[in-house]
Amino acid sequence: MTSQIEFALDTFGDITLGPDGKLKPADQVIRDVVEQAVLADQTGIDYIGLGEHHRDDFAISAPEPILGAIAARTGRIRFGTAVTVLSSDDPIRLFQRFSTLNALSNGRAEVILGRGSFTESFPLFGHDLRNYEVLFNEKLDLFTQTLRNPRVTWEGQHRQPLKDQDIHPPLSQPLKVWIGVGGTPESVMRAVSHDLPMILAIIGGAPDRFLPYADYYRNAFAELGKPPQPLAVHSPGHVADTDEQAKEELWPHFKANRDRIGAERGWPPATHDDFLNEIAQGSLYVGSPETVARKIARTVKLLDLQRFEMKYSSGPLPHEKLMRSVELCGTRVAPMVRDILAD
C-alpha cells in the first residue's frame, strides 16, 4: 500500500441556497464552483471533477468551459469530469475539447467516461434509449482509438465511418482517461478490455460489497499479462470542524436531494436513522477531519485504491459550507489519510 494516494473532490454544481435562504441562480452556482476549485488547488487537493447533468437541480451541463476557467486560475491541480456521459456525446468532439483543455493547462486535464445516473441527455441530444448499451460501447471504442492513434480508421452502426482521419488538435502530452462504473462484472471487463483505469461509484452501502469487483479488475489484468491500471472510488461526504456539526449541516440538504431524486425513482423518503447508519456503516463520509480521514483510509486499504474521490456537494448545502469542507479536505483530511497509510 502506498501513502501517495490521490485525494480528489467532485461536484455536480448542485443548486445551493444563498444567504437569503433562496436557491441561487445557476450562473452564480457556476461561478461558485470555480471558487471552490481555486481553493482546492490552494489547499493541496490533487484533482477536482465536474459532473455533467441536464436538470434544474444541477448547474453544470457543459463542464469544459468551466474547466477552462479553472485551468486559467490554477497552477497545480488536475481537473476533469465526473462523469462525461459518453453515450449521448460525440467521441471526436469530446477528444477535441479535452485535447484543447490539456494544451491550455499544460497536461492537467483528465476525462472520466460513463453512462451517467440520469437519462435526460438521450432525448435532449436525439438519442434512443433503446440503444443505451450499444451507443456507449461504440463510442468508447472510437474514443479510445482516437486517444491512441494519430490517424483514425473506424466503423460502427450509429456513426459514419472514418478512414485515415486526422483529429485536431493532437495531444502534445498524455491525456488520462478513466471509466466510471456502478459495479457490474460487465462494466469491470469493459474497463479492462480498453486498458483504462476505473472509478467505482459507491454511493450507498458498505464499501466491502465492492471488494469482489476490485479483485476481479486486478485479476482480469493479470490474466492478460498486463499490470493493473489504477483503481479509484467516488463516494459522497461532508467535512466540518466536528462530527456533530458536519451531520447537522448536511442532513437537511442530504434529505432534500435524496427525496427529490427518490420521488422520481420510487424510493421511500430518507430518514434520519438511514442517514446516520450510512455515515456509521456505509459510504457516506461525514464528520470531523479525523473521522473522515480514518474512514477514507480504511476504504483505501480495503480496496487497494490509488485515488479516493469525494463528492463534496449535496443538494442545496450552501457555498460557504462547501468552501469550508474543501478547505478541511485539503489541509487536514488528505494529509491525515496519507499519514495513516504510511504507518
Side-chain angles (χ1 to χ4, degrees):
M1 173 64 63
T2 175
S3 61
Q4 296 306 308
I5 181 77
E6 291 185 359
F7 195 98
L9 296 174
D10 64 53
T11 177
F12 300 163
D14 304 53
I15 298 294
T16 54
L17 290 173
D20 60 359
K22 297 179 181 179
L23 292 173
K24 288 184 174 183
D27 57 351
Q28 182 58 58
V29 173
I30 288 170
R31 292 191 290 270
D32 289 345
V33 166
V34 175
E35 296 305 319
Q36 292 155 21
V38 170
L39 180 60
D41 180 58
Q42 293 169 348
T43 56
I45 298 297
D46 296 306
Y47 174 85
I48 187 160
L50 308 186
E52 172 200 343
H53 293 84
H54 304 273
R55 303 164 47 94
D56 63 2
D57 42 353
F58 302 117
I60 301 173
S61 62
E64 292 89 353
I66 308 170
L67 295 173
I70 291 169
R73 293 191 54 192
T74 59
R76 180 198 54 80
I77 195 169
R78 298 182 65 82
F79 54 80
T81 52
V83 301
T84 290
V85 184
L86 181 61
S87 308
S88 56
D89 209 331
D90 182 90
I92 300 299
R93 289 296 287 147
L94 177 64
F95 175 85
Q96 290 175 324
R97 297 196 302 267
F98 272 88
S99 62
T100 300
L101 277 170
N102 216 37
L104 179 69
S105 64
N106 196 25
R108 290 188 285 136
E110 299 184 10
V111 59
I112 303 175
L113 305 172
R115 292 183 289 184
S117 56
F118 299 94
T119 59
E120 288 87 354
S121 64
F122 282 80
L124 183 63
F125 299 120
H127 297 287
D128 190 333
L129 266 173
R130 289 175 296 183
N131 298 323
Y132 183 84
E133 191 77 17
V134 68
L135 280 171
F136 186 76
N137 289 335
E138 279 200 3
K139 293 184 178 189
L140 180 60
D141 182 59
L142 176 54
F143 186 86
T144 53
Q145 287 200 39
T146 305
L147 182 70
R148 292 164 177 161
N149 298 298
R151 286 192 176 89
V152 180
T153 296
W154 180 90
E155 186 172 349
Q157 298 178 42
H158 294 275
R159 195 186 198 281
Q160 290 295 312
L162 298 172
K163 184 172 177 59
D164 229 14
Q165 179 69 55
D166 290 320
I167 310 297
H168 303 286
L171 289 171
S172 59
Q173 299 185 62
L175 174 67
K176 191 165 189 176
V177 177
W178 301 73
I179 293 187
V181 306
T184 66
E186 295 79 13
S187 295
V188 172
M189 281 308 302
R190 187 181 291 114
V192 173
S193 64
H194 288 279
D195 198 17
L196 292 173
M198 182 175 75
I199 297 184
L200 286 165
I202 307 180
I203 59 175
D208 307 60
R209 296 183 303 119
F210 287 77
L211 183 56
Y213 298 110
D215 290 342
Y216 184 38
Y217 179 69
R218 283 184 279 265
N219 291 338
F221 273 111
E223 289 178 6
L224 293 173
K226 295 181 178 181
Q229 289 279 5
L231 180 64
V233 157
H234 151 100
S235 291
H238 177 62
V239 185
D241 292 285
T242 68
D243 288 349
E244 286 308 309
Q245 181 184 349
K247 294 172 187 176
E248 289 174 8
E249 288 179 355
L250 182 60
W251 162 241
H253 309 295
F254 173 90
K255 179 172 174 57
N257 185 51
R258 179 64 62 85
D259 286 355
R260 176 167 182 165
I261 295 171
E264 300 169 2
R265 300 184 177 184
W267 301 344
T271 69
H272 197 250
D273 284 346
D274 293 337
F275 173 70
L276 295 179
N277 185 63
E278 192 63 39
I279 292 172
Q281 302 179 40
S283 292
L284 189 54
Y285 295 76
V286 176
S288 67
E290 294 81 3
T291 296
V292 172
R294 287 194 296 270
K295 187 169 182 178
I296 290 173
R298 179 190 180 278
T299 300
V300 170
K301 289 180 179 178
L302 174 71
L303 300 178
D304 193 11
L305 303 176
Q306 284 68 57
R307 175 187 285 183
F308 185 89
E309 190 164 318
M310 190 177 83
K311 182 181 182 290
Y312 66 93
S313 59
S314 182
L317 185 64
H319 170 60
E320 62 271 17
K321 305 299 184 185
L322 300 179
M323 289 287 276
R324 181 59 175 160
S325 186
V326 169
E327 179 185 2
L328 290 172
C329 282
T331 60
R332 297 183 61 189
V333 176
M336 284 183 197
V337 169
R338 294 188 176 105
D339 287 346
I340 294 169
L341 297 176
D343 288 342

